[in-house]
Amino acid sequence: MPELEILSQYALLPLRIILGIIFIAHGYPKLFKFKEYKEKFKAMGMPAFVLALVGIAEFIGGIGILFGFLTRFTAAVWSIMMITAAIIKASKWKKGLIDGYELDLALLAGALTLFILGAGSLSIDAYIGWSLG
């Protein structure tokens, strides 16, 4: 639809907003309820510093993505995290084809999209010349 072509420059904004909110929501408890989540990460065989790094990447990265700042860097980090999470869940749980890690795969798809395309026109990255969008 040619009439929608004009909106294509804004297409990444809803993706950034939704991913930003999801990652902020998932990162917040990892940083601010650290003791509670420390046990969950320990049960997965991960040390506490990994929890801190994941919490920072999710929470601070989510804020950055909302504004379109350091989008490609954050999206690359998130992609690595989501691949790792899916592999860990798939190897430990082995429930079904994607049972239990479908959210990880959806978040990976969104992160890869932002990594490839950048933040889009309505972003700090575009304003300072760090984005192709």
Side-chain angles (χ1 to χ4, degrees):
M1 299 175 101
E3 55 273 5
L4 292 179
E5 291 283 324
I6 196 163
L7 297 176
S8 66
Q9 64 181 326
Y10 308 114
L12 294 169
L13 183 61
L15 178 62
R16 282 197 356 250
I17 291 170
I18 292 167
L19 283 180
I21 291 169
I22 290 169
F23 276 98
I24 289 168
H26 282 259
Y28 181 86
K30 291 178 180 100
L31 292 178
F32 300 103
K33 296 180 180 179
F34 191 81
K35 289 181 183 179
E36 184 179 318
Y37 275 77
K38 188 173 153 182
E39 295 305 316
K40 292 178 182 183
F41 268 62
K42 188 177 178 181
M44 290 187 285
M46 292 189 225
F49 81 90
V50 173
L51 170 60
L53 291 176
V54 169
I56 290 167
E58 289 178 349
F59 186 75
I60 303 298
I63 293 169
I65 289 287
L66 280 176
F67 294 100
F69 182 64
L70 294 174
T71 302
R72 284 200 164 106
F73 172 78
T74 300
V77 171
W78 285 355
S79 295
I80 293 166
M81 287 171 35
M82 293 300 96
I83 290 168
T84 304
I87 288 170
I88 289 170
K89 289 176 184 176
S91 67
K92 290 193 182 242
W93 295 342
K94 296 182 183 177
K95 290 181 180 177
L97 184 58
I98 60 167
D99 209 11
Y101 52 96
E102 60 277 355
L103 177 61
D104 300 324
L105 296 177
L107 294 174
L108 171 61
L112 287 173
T113 301
L114 290 178
F115 177 73
I116 293 166
L117 297 178
S121 300
L122 295 174
S123 66
I124 293 172
D125 288 347
Y127 180 76
I128 59 179
W130 290 357
S131 179
L132 297 175

